[in-house]
Amino acid sequence: MEGMESAGTCVDPKQKIDNACPESEEDIKQKAEQFKEEANKHFKEKNYEDAVCLYTQAIGVYPKSAVYYANRSFAHLRLENYGYALEDATRAIENDRKYIKAYYRRASAYMSLGKFKPALRDFEAVVKVKPKDKDAKLKYTECSKIVKQKAFERAIACNEYDKKPIADSINLDTISVESTYDGPKIPDAGITADFMKELIETFKNQKKLHKRYAYQILLEVKKIFFNLPSLVDVTLQKEEKLTVCGDIHGQYYDLCNIFDLNQLPSKENPYLFNGDFVDRGSWSVEVILVLFGFKVLYPEHFHLVRGNHETDNMNQMYGFEGEVKQKYGGNMMEFFSEVFNWLPLAYCVNGKVLIMHGGLCEEDGITLNDLRSIDRNRQPPESGTMCDLLWSDPQMQQGRGRSKRGVSCQFGPDITSKFLQDNGLDYVIRSHEVKHEGYEEQHNGKLITIFSAPNYCDQMGNKGAFITLEAPHLKPKFTQFQAVKHPEIQPMAYANSVMRMPGMF
């Protein structure tokens, strides 16, 4: 490897130079290089947050280097801080317009944010400088295809409110089950606990559920979601408990491990999964069908919240769409999109604990009734309350700040405290961010992040965790776990071809 003041996740220390003995520029560069080399070591060890801090120190000592900004941009990409990555890459280009890696980094950030036209411009800039570079030409060509595809989709798109629901066109009786099919079958009376156990084992053995039963699960779960408000209230009686899990991201075998550690869902063992069930991991289809199956089986005791990856743009880039098309075909992907639009956006437990995927809102004065009244049956807008619930993140500083992801905002402990006070809540649970220990308590213990995909993308080295809440006190109890072995299929196996190319992340 080679290497924002405002874009780092740590405070820029800017090393003080002894005024009594001024250092030469070469001495300053050497000191900065030491920070960079140490940062590179942390990056290779997958300690990306520490790497960001050390690159920040290098920049503080010598801010003229394009390499330091580009390296920090790369670390932010790994942390999914796409807004910061974009800013860093831009600063690198401003420092050295001939530094090609900075254009790659900025293109990666643009792609991750779904901004394909500016990504294409950066790839074009690389090709102009290195016209014989096969890798650069391939990235440019693939990105160009995406831009053209998006333009075509916009040209033929009809108003989504006028579009006939996919569910209305599905007739299960016309989907025959071949006599050679030996997988699980949904009984005439509907999904049972035995069916779910068989389904889990079938997927563990890397076998498919017949598309007839996959469609049946989607039809049934859509009916359930359709009748739920955007904010769902859940009541736990004394000594009843609820297990809250964070992001799963297609890591099916780690999902099974959660059920091994905490037992399968049941009326006596309810669960809530807090968004980002799919994408990145290569068993997203298996994850979502199991989760939807349990929702159908236990509609009052198994809960699902929409995440920012239950959306079309994310699914097109990060693998779920490609995986569904590979395993079941394109029509089913349209149906998944339709069902995702009806997922609730938040849950409130006993009127005291609010749970959403992202976080609090950019606007002051938002109430629980505001959340209940959100018209959620759509792709999320680029701003506003629905966007914030899916995308926002906490920060250590007071007030609000710009988003490190380039979407929504960041909010401080004062924002959390005021929101809880105004709405009579005790604390907030959210997900959306990798945490090394699988969870983190912030904002004076009033905000908890839970993340349930250990060794995220087979590269982060983090633990996973889940929370147990027991009434009446609802004091969070954390259970941590490590990643388990899975078949030799890499993460992002079904992602957009540009996202899988070397040098992108």
Side-chain angles (χ1 to χ4, degrees), residues 106-124 139-140 142-151 153-154 312-314 316-318 496 498-499:
R106 191 165 71 176
S108 300
Y110 276 134
M111 292 286 288
S112 300
L113 291 167
K115 298 181 179 183
F116 305 110
K117 285 186 177 179
L120 182 61
R121 287 197 295 269
D122 279 340
F123 285 134
E124 185 177 20
K139 289 183 172 69
Y140 172 78
E142 291 299 318
C143 188
S144 180
K145 289 179 182 177
I146 295 172
V147 170
K148 292 176 181 176
Q149 178 188 346
K150 292 292 181 183
E153 289 173 355
R154 287 194 297 271
D312 288 353
N313 280 342
M314 294 292 104
Q316 289 166 4
M317 296 304 299
Y318 291 100
N496 182 279
V498 176
M499 308 299 278

Side-chain angles (χ1 to χ4, degrees), residues 181 184 195 199 203 207-211 213-214 217 289 328:
Y181 175 71
F195 168 82
L199 181 64
F203 287 157
K207 297 181 179 179
K208 281 176 54 177
L209 176 68
H210 194 279
K211 67 179 180 180
Y213 303 118
I217 290 173
L289 288 177
Y328 286 107

Side-chain angles (χ1 to χ4, degrees), residues 438-454:
Y439 72 95
E440 184 176 20
E441 297 180 90
Q442 296 169 273
H443 295 182
N444 303 310
K446 298 299 184 180
L447 184 137
I448 298 169
T449 298
I450 189 72
F451 194 83
S452 304

Side-chain angles (χ1 to χ4, degrees), residues 490-503:
Q490 297 301 310
M492 302 283 281
Y494 302 95
N496 182 279
S497 56
V498 176
M499 308 299 278
R500 300 197 304 268
M501 290 180 181

